[in-house]
Amino acid sequence: MHSHANTARKNAHQRVIFKLNPIAAACAAAFLLASTNIYAQQADATATTEEQAIAAKKKKDGEAVELDAVKVTGIRRSIESAIEKKKEATSIVEVISAEDIGKLPDNSIADAISRAPGITSQRIAGRASEINIRGFAGDFSTTLLNGREQVSVGDNRGVEFDQYPSELIGGVTIYKTPDARLVGQGVSGTVDLQTLKPLSYSERSVSLNARLEQNSLGEVNPGYSDNGSRLSATYIDQFADNTFGIALGFARLDSPGQSQQWEATGYQTNGAVAGGSALYQEGSKQRAGSTDNVRTGVMAILEYRPNDTFRSELDIFYSKFEKAEVARGMEMGLGWTGAVPTGITTGNLFGLTHVLSGTFAGITPVQKHELNTSNDDIFSIGWNNKLKLNEDWTAVLDVSGSSAKRNDQVLELYAGATDNADNPLSQTVNFRINPSTGLPTYIFSRNNADPSVVRLTDSSGWGQAGYLKDFQVRDDQVALRLNLKRDFLEGAFSSVEFGVNYSDRDKSRESIEYILRLAAGSAVPTNIPSGLLLSPVTQDLTGGWPIVAFDLQGALDSGLYVRSLNSPGDVYDKNWSVNERVTTAFAQLNIDTQLGSVPVRGNIGAQFIQTDQSS
């Protein structure tokens, strides 16, 4: 029996060695058919007499002769690798493999994942950040890194994928069905990001990437460039007779964003305007926005494999993402203030009669200046040890920890045209609407970019000259996992796996909000200090209206404002903390058999989860 088992094991090993993928076989066949004569001539020309003699002797003695191999690289290799992994998986999965080191098919992980069937990406501030599986929001899925559940900087469990540089990821597996081996599975699916394995490479490898980008809108706000870049470097090497490997990766993203926005707050009719038959604007919001995204990612992987029975891997990942968004614009009431346009013309707009041009008098626009900043830090470390106990049994011990921290600030400051007694200076606004696009052009009677006219003030009578939100999110987790696997050489099941995972996670959010009033007094308009002034901002989308621009953070820090704590109940409700301890036991049988001539793969598994949660 022992001899038979060894023979079966040997035959199984041989089958694995000489197994050829359909794509690889097709490529090899095409290559050989197309180049038989050329290859023969090249072999005769390049092979030395000594090499020919050695090969002839081996053939005569019946020894194995080493043949040349067809090596598939590039995008074809990535497709072949993805197909092979999907075929070998016992669950329904989608697989994405990097074309080469640091080279996934798309600019971001989210963009690459969204190419898979049934998966879409959601964009936040112009960047693909959230993944939806089967139409479910991102909070219904979970994300793993090398099989370990990841913490997040959001208010829920959903991971923001733009935190993970695509240049540092070697592949992605998306589980669309439950799999008992997965810890921390999502309702809609589970995304497992995988880093590089240095000992899977046969030689030293170095990859350098550089890309540049330019925004077609130009510099909408001063201090925010329209040029960006992506830089990355990856180094992989092996030492000590290929028993120790190292992989180091660095990726930096500097990606600006520019936007122009216009919004009509509504339309109404009035009997005094075209007999009440034409719609005209109730109000208008114009906005010119710029964003600056700077992300720095670092990866380090140490892999040790002294023999065929033991492997140990330590992987470290760190990402720092600094985001800043500034928006400057005006909001003004038109029809809802009681004003009616004069000197009007009417016409068809989107199938209805609208006032297409005219003049509003007595309008007091509010200039709204916003600055939103976010600083995110994500750190993950894991130590995985795999020991082959004998020919059938394998044990895996995994220890990991991860942490995430986000510091956000949302700042609003208001300005407007006033006299020295804080009386709003009304304006006349001439408007004209493009009937084909619906976009208006506004011409104001005052220069809204003149700092001698436009001052910091509560120009709308809201009882505040600005508003400030500060909040912080912390998420920390440690986990310990032990797996055992038993392989079978015969029967319908290829293996059985079982184990236990324990995790301890703390997540909290702290929020504080302030009403900002001018230090000189709520009824005293304040001139913008000349040292804070910037070049005026122009929004070309609605006729090129210029408004004043100034350093918002500098104005907040200069002592111009007094902070008053805003403490209604809904603000306090934004502060929370959650602690959870989860123990997961699992067992899974992996199926690898045939029903007649049809190969069948799959799994049968179960999980027992005990959760102790407090908040």
Side-chain angles (χ1 to χ4, degrees), residues 263 265 283-287 329-334 336 363-368 370 412 414 459-460 462:
E263 174 187 348
T265 57
S284 173
K285 295 181 180 180
Q286 302 101 272
R287 188 173 184 268
M330 287 194 297
E331 299 181 8
M332 55 185 176
L334 297 172
W336 64 263
I363 305 302
T364 56
V366 176
Q367 293 194 18
K368 189 175 181 180
E370 304 170 71
E412 294 181 3
Y414 313 133
S459 56
S460 60
W462 294 341

